[in-house]
Amino acid sequence: MLCFSWISQAKEFSSSFVHNKIDSSIISLSLTQKEEEPAALILHVPLNTVTEPYGILSWNPKNVQENVCLFKGYVEHIQQEKGIAIVYLKAFQDESSWLRIAKEFRSKETFCPYFFDDEDMRPESVLADQLFVPYWCPVSGKCKLSHVTSSLEVFHPKENVHIINYCQNPGINKLKIVLRAQWIQQVQGIVNVFPWIESAFPNKEVATYTPESLKKIWPKSGTLLGNSGYRVLHSELIVNQRKHEFLTLSNPDRIVQRYVFDGSLWIFWNLKQKRKEVIQTVWPSEVPGKSIELHWNLGAITSAQAIDGWSPVRAYKTGDYVRFGQQIFESIDDHYSSIFQENVHWKLHEERTKELFFTIQSSFFLTEFGKRAFDFALQRAYKIWLMAARCCHLEIKGSIEALLGITLEHQLILEYPKNNTFSGKVTQYTLSSCQGISSISVLVSGLHPNSWKSCDIKSVSYQDASCYAMNYSDGWYDDPEKKEGKKGAQYAAYYHSKPKDLYAYGQFFLGDQLLDKIDVRCVDTDQFQALESTTSHVFRSRFLRPTSIRLHFRKLKGCAALQHHICVKMFQGLTAFSP
């Protein structure tokens, strides 16, 4: 016998009296439990019924004193229809139980922040790449998880049940997955161009007979070199006293001074480029149904330039990291930097150098972060396909005694059709009662038989420049030699491609590549000849042209928005597998 009672305060739920109380004014009721939704109870009562904010539904089995609680909830809304009142109640939800589950999944490495925010705790985002669906206990309100297709908990009806309906809905025959990323790619570094300036002088020395003019034109620290992304980080020009010399001209009465300079000219360069990238694939299956397209735009993507470049005028501590060129170094002592000495103050950090290389590649989807995003998209698409592959639905009906205790965690194995076995997950159940007659109907959803088959995909010619025969992710690799290998599908992807755009070569920039050319005019040899040719016995320095240096840097300016398209070829079709 079903018992329902109204409750004015939530604290009365713990009272055993209300479990046995019967409100005879109930005309009919229907309790429905579905995946991803709290249980809902619908009551049909006379218009003059006095209702309360809360309600409890219980069942009194035969020959048992204690009632079994079936539902606890609150009134959501009430409406009138054809002379009766329809009361809609919703079961309580224990949000703390869901948050514990959500935080556990958020801590897993599979979570991809480019799709959802870290603080987004909705079940549809937390479980987007997980083969689980949530449901809430209609009594305790606690959240529980159930596998999408199967369960180890098999429910055995206590009495005979009847099959009242079977239907097969269309599944998904083909998935087209399109993933878009828009981001700012950044390549930066520092380089000392002084050695290349020296190489432009005769004898590989910065030498002149007009030292004051050279000091005057020498770039100062902080100077911006045009608008192409270059800035002087540190500048120094010092006379080398050991090489400083006095020379006698052919006229013995005339002696001139030749100045040789040492120094440094550290240039910081920064190259930014807007990127628009698309990676897409088509994933077929043997399940009959429709073709759908899944389009996802990734959220904010930033260039992973978290480690600053080395600076020649800065104090460093042991354990500090810097980027020098395209490598990451770790400080091995406390020191104040002047020149970069790898074996004295720094050691190469190979792991972080490898990470840096990934962050500055030509394509985001070739980085570890991009591969992770694409893997997440595949897993998310796989779950969508698997949910749709549960397209064989068997509806059974039985008494409360036969099906009491069934939940969305259970698996049912039935004989259907004759001499055949139908196995599926419980995805919905409904308890109905009208005029004293009660029953439970259960919807059992099973996978289409073809979902276990993998459609063959013709091999791809990997000589094509846009597609490379490399396994994009080990997580989707299926080893046929092992029975318990990693499940899923293989796919080939654009990989190990040489950059085809000018910007992409920025990751390989060295100092001499940043400089297109160096023009040095009136070098010391030219000045010496000019002095020799002077006929006057009185030397006038103002008639001697000063040494000048002109640096021609490569322009660090990208396109308005560089586009990149990657086509992925799947090795294997969509296939269901046992958890």
Side-chain angles (χ1 to χ4, degrees), residues 81-100:
E81 184 178 310
K82 297 180 179 180
I84 62 173
I86 304 177
V87 184
Y88 295 87
L89 295 93
K90 183 174 287 187
F92 292 109
Q93 290 178 272
D94 184 354
E95 293 297 335
S96 62
S97 64
W98 161 247
L99 288 176
R100 285 193 295 270

Side-chain angles (χ1 to χ4, degrees), residues 162-173:
H162 306 283
I163 297 173
I164 59 176
N165 186 37
Y166 172 81
C167 68
Q168 181 176 312
N169 298 329
I172 296 176
N173 179 254

Side-chain angles (χ1 to χ4, degrees), residues 224-231 267-271 554 556:
L224 296 177
L225 304 179
N227 58 356
S228 297
Y230 294 95
R231 176 169 54 88
I267 304 296
F268 171 82
W269 57 276
N270 186 25
L271 177 59
R554 181 193 297 267
L556 299 181

Side-chain angles (χ1 to χ4, degrees), residues 171-310:
I172 296 176
N173 179 254
K174 185 185 295 183
L175 278 174
K176 182 179 179 181
I177 305 166
V178 181
L179 200 58
R180 291 182 172 84
Q182 297 187 36
W183 60 300
I184 302 294
Q185 190 172 25
Q186 181 173 344
V187 184
Q188 58 184 216
I190 58 174
V191 62
N192 184 11
V193 298
F194 191 84
W196 283 278
I197 296 176
E198 283 184 314
S199 65
F201 278 79
N203 303 319
K204 310 300 181 184
E205 293 178 340
V206 179
T208 184
Y209 291 91
T210 54
E212 295 304 321
S213 62
L214 184 59
K215 291 180 180 179
K216 186 176 181 180
I217 66 171
W218 193 257
K220 304 298 187 292
S221 298
T223 303
L224 296 177
L225 304 179
N227 58 356
S228 297
Y230 294 95
R231 176 169 54 88
V232 179
L233 191 65
H234 178 69
S235 174
E236 194 173 34
L237 193 64
I238 304 174
V239 175
N240 188 326
Q241 296 296 339
R242 293 179 304 166
K243 295 183 179 181
H244 176 74
E245 58 185 344
F246 292 88
L247 300 177
T248 303
L249 299 176
S250 57
N251 185 337
D253 295 335
R254 298 178 60 189
I255 298 175
V256 293
Q257 296 184 52
R258 180 176 178 267
Y259 295 84
V260 179
F261 289 92
D262 290 333
S264 62
L265 187 59
W266 288 95
I267 304 296
F268 171 82
W269 57 276
N270 186 25
L271 177 59
K272 293 183 179 181
Q273 172 66 59
K274 292 182 180 179
R275 303 304 303 266
K276 290 185 178 181
E277 298 190 51
V278 178
I279 187 170
Q280 69 176 47
T281 188
V282 175
W283 211 352
S285 77
E286 291 290 339
V287 176
K290 56 187 177 180
S291 298
I292 67 170
E293 294 187 7
L294 301 173
H295 293 261
W296 289 309
N297 295 318
L298 298 186
I301 299 172
T302 56
S303 180
Q305 300 288 332
I307 299 177
D308 294 332
W310 175 80

